[in-house]
Amino acid sequence: MSQKEIVDDWLEVMDYITGFLMATVPLSQININTAPKEDLMLLETIGEKTADAIIEYRTTHPFKTTRDIMKIKGIGEKTYEKIKDKICVE
């Protein structure tokens, strides 16, 4: 077995392990009232501009419920359904 084949096999195993862990190990919820931009961007479909919009909005309108995040342009029902279990307001 060549060195390249060994590395390729190792990378395949690591991809499998990473996928397994991401599917089975829950991450703590992200508080949308206090999370830094980098943490907000960990949420599915939340990019830099949307994270900036969340931070700007919450400075004058703290989120009272997680559903309030849909007041942010670009976050609708579909996005909310994808992230609702990963966010909190407390």
Side-chain angles (χ1 to χ4, degrees):
M1 189 175 243
S2 72
Q3 185 176 4
K4 182 184 181 324
E5 291 172 319
I6 293 170
V7 169
D8 287 346
D9 286 349
W10 182 81
L11 290 174
E12 189 175 323
V13 169
M14 293 306 296
D15 284 344
Y16 175 80
I17 292 170
T18 301
F20 174 78
L21 290 174
M22 293 299 288
T24 58
V25 177
L27 300 174
S28 61
Q29 290 184 316
I30 294 174
N31 185 326
I32 57 175
N33 278 319
T34 61
K37 180 178 181 176
E38 294 78 16
D39 288 356
L40 293 169
M41 291 173 59
L42 294 173
L43 297 166
E44 187 176 350
T45 74
I46 305 298
E48 186 173 355
K49 289 181 182 181
T50 305
D52 286 338
I54 291 169
I55 292 168
E56 183 177 336
Y57 180 89
R58 74 185 186 198
T59 59
T60 55
H61 305 90
F63 297 104
K64 293 183 174 117
T65 71
T66 58
R67 290 190 70 80
D68 287 345
I69 200 167
M70 290 190 291
K71 295 177 181 178
I72 304 298
K73 182 181 177 183
I75 301 180
E77 191 69 38
K78 287 181 183 179
T79 298
Y80 177 72
E81 286 299 316
K82 291 178 184 177
I83 66 173
K84 69 181 182 180
D85 295 330
K86 299 173 183 134
I87 60 175
C88 66
V89 293
E90 298 175 358

